[in-house]
C-alpha cells in the first residue's frame, strides 16, 4: 500500500474515533475534525473532501427494528438476568463493527435486535429439559451473518456452551462462515490452533483476549467437523466453562459424524442426552433442512439428523436464518397440522430483519423504485453460443458479446473506483451461466484469454493520446461501454478513466468457484491490497457466498423457483460509494420472475408487520405463507417427481392474478373475444353499460358493476392450462363464496392507451379502446402465447384505478415512510400498496395488440381486496408431469458433488 493510502486510512481511523464520541454529527463537524488530523496524516484536498462525503454517507445510514411474532405463552427473562451478565464477547464484537465502519445507529439497532432474539430464546441457566424453535427472516446479502455472529456472542455471554452453526451445503460457504466466526467471536485464526501452532489473533481478539475465556473451536477455516480431530482436543461439553463452536456443512455424513462423536464422548453415563445448553444456528434454513434439491430420502435424512442433534441436548434452541420466507418448513408438510408439529417449524418466534438504509436490494434492482435507475441489462445473444438450457458436454468456443460487455463494464467501473480513491479495496464480478463445472471451466478459460487481450492492448496503447488510443479495438470497446453506461456520471471524463485503465485491469484474475476450486475467493488474504476477481461458477455462487465489492453480474439461468431465484442474487448487499456503477445482465424473462418474487416477498413482510400489530403467532404466519399464491409454485416444485397431481389451497384475498399465458389457436382467441363482447352485453342488461364508464389513463373505468356478468365471463373465457393462478374453477369458487357479500359489486377497467397511432382500435365492447401494445414472449409457439418475455399483462399502477385521489396519495406517503424514500424523487410505486386500499374488487379487461395477430387478443386481470371474512382457501390442481416438463431447471440435476473432509 502506498504512503498516501496509509495516510488516508490512518486519517479515517483517527476521525472515526473522534466522531464515535459525538452525539450529533454535521457536515461541518466532520470536516473540522478532518482538518485537525490532516496535520498528522497529510492528504490532498480532493481526498479530504472524498473522505468527508464518505463519512457523511456512512453516518447517515440507519436501521430499524423489524417485525416479530411470538407464542403467547412466552415469559421474558433477559432483563431480569442482566445484572449477572458480563457482555465480554458482545463488547469485543461491537468494537469490531465500529472498526469496520458500521454506523453507530446501525450498531445500536443491531444490539437491540440481537437482544430481542436472545430474549425469545431460553435462559441457559434455566433447569431442563426445554427446547425453543425460532426463525429470523432477513434479506439476501443484507447482514444476516453479522446478526447471528452478534447473537452467538450474546448467547455465549449468557451461558450457552455449545454453539453449532450449519452453514450451507458447500465447502466454500462453510469455510467463509468459519472465517467470519473466527473474526467476530473466537478472536483467533482457528487453523493454526487446531494444528497446535501459535495463536494468531484476528478480529475481536485484537480488542482483548482473555486466555481463560477463549472459545474452543472443533472446526477450522479449512476443515469441516472430523471425529478424530474433535476427539484429539479432549474436551467434555458438560465440564466446559467456556463456549465451544462448530461450523459444519449441511451434509448428512458430517451430521452423522457429529452425532456419533457427541454420543460417544459427551452423553451422560447411562443416558443419551447432554446437559450443556446448546444453540443451533441453521444458516439458509430453507436449503436442505427440508429442500427440493435433493431426493425425498435425502431431505428426510438431513431433517431427521438436525432433529436428532437437537434431541441429544436437554436444553437446546434452534434458530433458522433465511432470506426467503417461502422456506419449505412452511410449505412441505401435506397438512396444516403437520406443518405446525414439524420439529423445525419456528413455533416459538419469528423475527423479521429490516436492512440498513444503504442496502442495495431487490426493491431497488427489480422494482425500479427510482424511475431514473436502470440497473438491468438484457441478454439476447446467448442462444447460439451458450444456450440457456444445455448439457454438461457443451463446448464453449466463444463468448456472447453481452458477456464481454459485462466484463468491459467491470474494467471501466474498477477504473472509476480508482479515480475515487478506492485503492486496495476488493472488486468482484460474478458470472453464473451454467450449473456444470465443465462448462464453468471453459467459460473461465475463454474469459481469461479475453481479459489477457484487454490487458495487452491497454499496456501497449493505453498511455497514447485519446485519438490514438481509440484506434485500438479493445480500448475502443471499453470507451463504448463508458459512453453507454457511465458517461452520465458527473465529475468524470474519459481521459481520466483511460489513465487508470492499466491499474484497473492489471490485477484482475478470472477464477472458477465450485467444488473443484477451494480458495478461489480468499478475500482475507488480500485485505489492504484488494482482490480483483471475475468469479465464474454456478450453484456455489447461489447460496450465502459473499462476493466482496461486487459490481457487475452476468446471470444466465432459468430457475423459476422463488427461493432459488432470490438466493442466486449475489448482487444484493452494500455498495458504498459505487452503487451507481453496479449492473446486472440477465434474460428479460428472468427479470420478470425476479420482480414478481420481490413483490411477493415484500407482501409477506408487510403481512408479518400487520400480524405483529394484531398479536398473531408464528403458526398463523405459517398458514399465511402456505396460502399465498406463490406457494403454488413452491409446493408444486417441491413435489415434482411424485407423478401425482398436486392440490394446493390458496387464499385470493389481497392478491392479483392475470392471464399472462394464453391459448393461441384461432378458435380460442375468437372465443375469448366473444366472451368479452358477451360481458359487455350482460352489463348492458344489468343496467351498467360500458358506455357509462369514464376515461382513465387511456382506458375506461366502469364503477359498481354486479358480480353475475363477471362470473359468466370467467366461465366462458378459455384459460390456458399453464396459467396456474387463473384456473377457472378455483377463481370462480372464491368469488361465488363471497358473491353476496364483499365481492357483490365490482369496478371494471377496460384497459387501453391514449394514442391510437400504430395501434389497433376496437369498438366491439360498445366503447372505443386503443389497444395496449404487447409483444409475444420468446417461449410463445403456434399454440401458446406468452404475453411479453416477463409474462406480464398489466402496466404498473393499474390497481389504483377507481381509488379516490386522497386514498392514493395517503398510500404513497405511507410507502415512502416505510421504505425511507426521499419525497423529492419520482418513485415507481408497487401496485400492492393500492390493492391494500381497495374496497371493491377490480376486473381488468385487456385488449392487446400483439403482432402478428390482426384482431385484439383478450386477457384479464383481477385485483382482489383484503377479505374481511374467514379466509377459506380454494384448491388449485397442478399436474406435476407438466410442471417438470415446463420448469425443469437447477433443482433437477445437482451441479457438483463435494467430497467430505
Amino acid at each position: 500500500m502506498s504512503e498516501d493510502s496509509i495516510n488516508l486510512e490512518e486519517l479515517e481511523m483517527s476521525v472515526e474515533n473522534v466522531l464515535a464520541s459525538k452525539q450529533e454529527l454535521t457536515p461541518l463537524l466532520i470536516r473540522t475534525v478532518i482538518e485537525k488530523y490532516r496535520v498528522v496524516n497529510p492528504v490532498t484536498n480532493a481526498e479530504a473532501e472524498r473522505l468527508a462525503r464518505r463519512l457523511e454517507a456512512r453516518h447517515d445510514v440507519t436501521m430499524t427494528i423489524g417485525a416479530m411474532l411470538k407464542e403467547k405463552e412466552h415469559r421474558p427473562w433477559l432483563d431480569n438476568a442482566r445484572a449477572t451478565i458480563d457482555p465480554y464477547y458482545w463488547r469485543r464484537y461491537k468494537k469490531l463493527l465500529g472498526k469496520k465502519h458500521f454506523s453507530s445507529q446501525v450498531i445500536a439497532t443491531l444490539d437491540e435486535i440481537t437482544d430481542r432474539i436472545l430474549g425469545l430464546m431460553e435462559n441457559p441457566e434455566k433447569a431442563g429439559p426445554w427446547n425453543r424453535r425460532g426463525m429470523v427472516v432477513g434479506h439476501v446479502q443484507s447482514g444476516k451473518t453479522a446478526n447471528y455472529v452478534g447473537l452467538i456472542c450474546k448467547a455465549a455471554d449468557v451461558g450457552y456452551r455449545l454453539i453449532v452453526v450449519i452453514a450451507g451445503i458447500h465447502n466454500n460457504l462453510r469455510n467463509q462462515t468459519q472465517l467470519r466466526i473466527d473474526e467476530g467471536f473466537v478472536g483467533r485464526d482457528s487453523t493454526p490452533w487446531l494444528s497446535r501452532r501459535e495463536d494468531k489473533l484476528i478480529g475481536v481478539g485484537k480488542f482483548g483476549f482473555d486466555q481463560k475465556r477463549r472459545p474452543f473451536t472443533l472446526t477450522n477455516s479449512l476443515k469441516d467437523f472430523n471425529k478424530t480431530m474433535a476427539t484429539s482436543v479432549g474436551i467434555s461439553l458438560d465440564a466446559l466453562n467456556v463456549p465451544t463452536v462448530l461450523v459444519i456443512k449441511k451434509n448428512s455424513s458430517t451430521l452423522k459424524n457429529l452425532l456419533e462423536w457427541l454420543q460417544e464422548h459427551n452423553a451422560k453415563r447411562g443416558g443419551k442426552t447432554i446437559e450443556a445448553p446448546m444453540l443451533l444456528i441453521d444458516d439458509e434454513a430453507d436449503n436442505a433442512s427440508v429442500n427440493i434439491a435433493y431426493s425425498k430420502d435425502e431431505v428426510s435424512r438431513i431433517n431427521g439428523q438436525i432433529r436428532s442433534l437437537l434431541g441429544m441436548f436437554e436444553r437446546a434452541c434452534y434458530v433458522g436464518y433465511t432470506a426467503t420466507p417461502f422456506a419449505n418448513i412452511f410449505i412441505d408438510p401435506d397438512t396444516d397440522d403437520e406443518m405446525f408439529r414439524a420439529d423445525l417449524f419456528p413455533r416459538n418466534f419469528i423475527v423479521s430483519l429490516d436492512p440498513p438504509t444503504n442496502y442495495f436490494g431487490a426493491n431497488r434492482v427489480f422494482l425500479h423504485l427510482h424511475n431514473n435507475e436502470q440497473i438491468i441489462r438484457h441478454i439476447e445473444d446467448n442462444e447460439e453460443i451458450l444456450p440457456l438450457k444445455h448439457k454438461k458436454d457443451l463446448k464453449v468456443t466463444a463468448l456472447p458479446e453481452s458477456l464481454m460487455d459485462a466484463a468491459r463494464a467491470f474494467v471501466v467501473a474498477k477504473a472509476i473506483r480508482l479515480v475515487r480513491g478506492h485503492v486496495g479495496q476488493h472488486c468482484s464480478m460474478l458470472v453464473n451461466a451454467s450449473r456444470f463445472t465443465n462448462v464453468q471451466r471453459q467459460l473461465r478459460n475463454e474469459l481469461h484469454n479475453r481479459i489477457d487481450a484487454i490487458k495487452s492492448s491497454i499496456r501497449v496503447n493505453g498511455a497514447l493520446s485519446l485519438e490514438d488510443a481509440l484506434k485500438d479495438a479493445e480500448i475502443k470497446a471499453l470507451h463504448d461501454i463508458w459512453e453507454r453506461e457511465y458517461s452520465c456520471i458527473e465529475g468524470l471524463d474519459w481521459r481520466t478513466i483511460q489513465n487508470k485503465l492499466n491499474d484497473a485491469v492489471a490485477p484482475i484474475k478470472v477464477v472458477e468457484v465450485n467444488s473443484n476450486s477451494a480458495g478461489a475467493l480468499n478475500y482475507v488474504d488480500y485485505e489492504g491490497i484488494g482482490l480483483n476477481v471475475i468469479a465464474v461458477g454456478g450453484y456455489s455462487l447461489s447460496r450465502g457466498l459473499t462476493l466482496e465489492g461486487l459490481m457487475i453480474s452476468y446471470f444466465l439461468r432459468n430457475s423459476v423457483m422463488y427461493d432459488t431465484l432470490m438466493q442466486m442474487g449475489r448482487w444484493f448487499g452494500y455498495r458504498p460509494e459505487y452503487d451507481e456503477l453496479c449492473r446486472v445482465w440477465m434474460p428479460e424473462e428472468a427479470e420478470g420472475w425476479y420482480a414478481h418474487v420481490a413483490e411477493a416477498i415484500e407482501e409477506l413482510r408487510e403481512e408479518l408487520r400487520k400480524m405483529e400489530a394484531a398479536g398473531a403467532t408464528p403458526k398463523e404466519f405459517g398458514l399465511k405463507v402456505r396460502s399465498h399464491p406463490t406457494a403454488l409454485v413452491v409446493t408444486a416444485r417441491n413435489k415434482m417427481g411424485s407423478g401425482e397431481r398436486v392440490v394446493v389451497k390458496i387464499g385470493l384475498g389481497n392478491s392479483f392474478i392475470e392471464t399472462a399465458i394464453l391459448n393461441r389457436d384461432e378458435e380460442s382467441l375468437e372465443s375469448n373475444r366473444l366472451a368479452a363482447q358477451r360481458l359487455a352485453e350482460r352489463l348492458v342488461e344489468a343496467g351498467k353499460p360500458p358506455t357509462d364508464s369514464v376515461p382513465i389513463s387511456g382506458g375506461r373505468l366502469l364503477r359498481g358493476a354486479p358480480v353475475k356478468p363477471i362470473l359468466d365471463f370467467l366461465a366462458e373465457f378459455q384459460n390456458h392450462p399453464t396459467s396456474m393462478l387463473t384456473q377457472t374453477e378455483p377463481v370462480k369458487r372464491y368469488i361465488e363464496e363471497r358473491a353476496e357479500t364483499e365481492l357483490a359489486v365490482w369496478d371494471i377497467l377496460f384497459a387501453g392507451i391514449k394514442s391510437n397511432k400504430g395501434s389497433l382500435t376496437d369498438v366491439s365492447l360498445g366503447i372505443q379502446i386503443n389497444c395496449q401494445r404487447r409483444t409475444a414472449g420468446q417461449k410463445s409457439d403456434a399454440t401458446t402465447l406468452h404475453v411479453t418475455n416477463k409474462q406480464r399483462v398489466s402496466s404498473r399502477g393499474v390497481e389504483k384505478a377507481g381509488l379516490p385521489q386522497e386514498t392514493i396519495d395517503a398510500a404513497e406517503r405511507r410507502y415512502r415512510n416505510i421504505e425511507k424514500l426521499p419525497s423529492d424523487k419520482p418513485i415507481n410505486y408497487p401496485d400492492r400498496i393500492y390493492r391494500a386500499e381497495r374496497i371493491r374488487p377490480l376486473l381488468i379487461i385487456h385488449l392487446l395488440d400483439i403482432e402478428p395477430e390482426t384482431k385484439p387478443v383478450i386477457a384479464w386481470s383481477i385485483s382482489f381486496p383484503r377479505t374481511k371474512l374467514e379466509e377459506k382457501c380454494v384448491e388449485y390442481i397442478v399436474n406435476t408431469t407438466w410442471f417438470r416438463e415446463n420448469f425443469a431447471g437447477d433443482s433437477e440435476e445437482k451441479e457438483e458433488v463435494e467430497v467430505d473432509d
Side-chain angles (χ1 to χ4, degrees), residues 407-588:
R408 294 180 187 113
F410 179 56
V411 174
V412 175
K414 171 71 192 303
I416 294 173
R417 293 192 65 188
L418 291 178
V419 170
R420 291 177 173 178
H422 297 186
V423 178
Q425 296 189 24
H426 303 308
C427 293
S428 301
M429 172 179 169
L430 173 153
V431 178
N432 188 340
S434 176
R435 67 180 181 269
F436 301 116
T437 55
N438 177 53
V439 178
Q440 293 165 20
R441 187 172 304 110
Q442 294 178 77
L443 285 172
R444 181 264 163 204
N445 292 340
E446 288 291 326
L447 264 173
H448 171 82
N449 292 337
R450 295 297 298 272
I451 293 295
D452 264 4
I454 294 173
K455 290 179 179 179
S456 296
S457 287
I458 293 173
R459 189 166 52 248
V460 173
N461 297 318
L464 299 178
S465 67
L466 299 186
E467 183 179 354
D468 290 337
L470 291 178
K471 294 176 183 177
D472 184 295
E474 295 288 1
I475 296 177
K476 174 66 164 58
L478 291 168
H479 177 266
D480 290 346
I481 286 293
W482 150 260
E483 287 285 352
R484 191 187 316 158
E485 299 291 344
Y486 302 124
S487 59
C488 60
I489 298 176
E490 293 183 9
L492 293 174
D493 59 81
W494 175 249
R495 180 187 298 276
T496 306
I497 301 303
Q498 184 178 314
N499 289 338
K500 289 292 186 181
L501 285 177
N502 191 53
D503 292 339
V505 76
I508 292 175
K509 58 182 180 178
V510 187
V511 301
E512 281 181 75
V513 182
N514 53 44
S515 58
N516 302 325
S517 58
L521 294 178
N522 50 340
Y523 291 103
V524 173
D525 293 345
Y526 287 81
E527 286 299 329
I529 303 170
L531 178 61
N532 299 272
V533 63
I534 299 176
V536 181
Y539 195 75
S540 291
L541 292 173
S542 304
R543 276 282 177 179
L545 194 67
T546 299
L547 278 71
E548 302 286 353
L550 180 63
M551 295 187 291
I552 305 297
S553 299
Y554 190 86
F555 178 80
L556 190 61
R557 304 299 287 274
N558 66 341
S559 174
V560 298
M561 183 67 177
Y562 294 143
D563 47 4
T564 302
L565 273 174
M566 295 310 288
Q567 292 293 350
M568 285 182 173
R570 297 297 97 196
W571 46 80
F572 305 136
Y574 302 97
R575 308 287 179 255
E577 296 184 274
Y578 64 94
D579 55 348
E580 84 279 31
L581 305 181
C582 297
R583 299 289 185 271
V584 180
W585 270 260
M586 63 170 48
E588 186 178 12

Side-chain angles (χ1 to χ4, degrees), residues 181-323:
I181 289 174
D182 285 353
E183 178 190 47
F185 173 55
V186 179
R188 66 185 187 283
D189 183 352
S190 58
T191 306
W193 180 76
L194 283 172
S195 60
R196 304 299 188 185
R197 298 203 305 271
E198 183 179 352
D199 276 340
K200 176 186 176 184
L201 298 183
I202 61 173
V204 295
K206 296 179 180 180
F207 300 105
F209 191 77
D210 185 341
Q211 190 70 20
K212 295 180 180 179
R213 296 192 185 190
R214 75 174 193 177
F216 282 104
T217 55
L218 298 182
T219 54
N220 68 21
S221 57
L222 298 178
K223 288 284 187 181
D224 203 341
F225 179 81
N226 177 283
K227 282 202 295 183
T228 303
M229 185 170 66
T231 301
S232 69
V233 176
I235 65 170
S236 172
L237 297 179
D238 283 338
L240 279 178
N241 56 7
V242 294
T244 296
V245 62
L246 302 87
V247 183
I248 64 175
K249 278 204 310 293
K250 196 172 295 186
N251 174 281
S252 58
S253 297
T254 304
L255 285 163
K256 177 175 178 286
N257 287 335
L258 177 57
L259 287 167
E260 290 176 351
W261 180 79
L262 288 169
Q263 184 64 48
E264 293 167 6
H265 295 276
N266 290 284
K268 291 181 182 177
R269 289 175 182 256
K272 295 183 178 180
T273 59
I274 300 168
E275 188 176 1
M278 189 265 277
L279 167 62
L280 193 156
I281 302 287
D282 186 0
D283 196 8
E284 310 295 346
D286 59 310
N287 187 33
S289 298
V290 181
N291 180 30
I292 55 103
Y294 288 77
S295 70
K296 196 67 178 178
D297 289 342
E298 183 75 2
V299 173
S300 300
R301 186 180 307 122
I302 291 176
N303 178 267
Q305 288 171 321
I306 293 175
R307 289 188 279 115
S308 295
L309 176 59
L310 292 164
M312 289 194 70
F313 289 81
E314 293 181 9
R315 297 175 290 170
C317 183
Y318 169 92
V319 182
Y321 276 75
T322 181

Side-chain angles (χ1 to χ4, degrees), residues 633-649:
V633 173
V634 177
T635 306
R637 269 301 275 275
N638 192 35
K639 302 196 176 190
M640 274 191 343
S642 67
E644 301 174 0
R645 297 189 310 167
V646 175
V647 178
V648 185
K649 293 182 178 179

Side-chain angles (χ1 to χ4, degrees), residues 658-677:
E658 61 181 7
T659 54
I661 306 174
L662 300 165
N663 291 309
R664 198 173 196 173
D665 62 280
E666 187 52 43
E667 182 180 347
S668 295
L669 292 173
E670 183 60 28
S671 175
N672 288 342
R673 282 189 283 267
L674 290 174
Q677 291 170 23

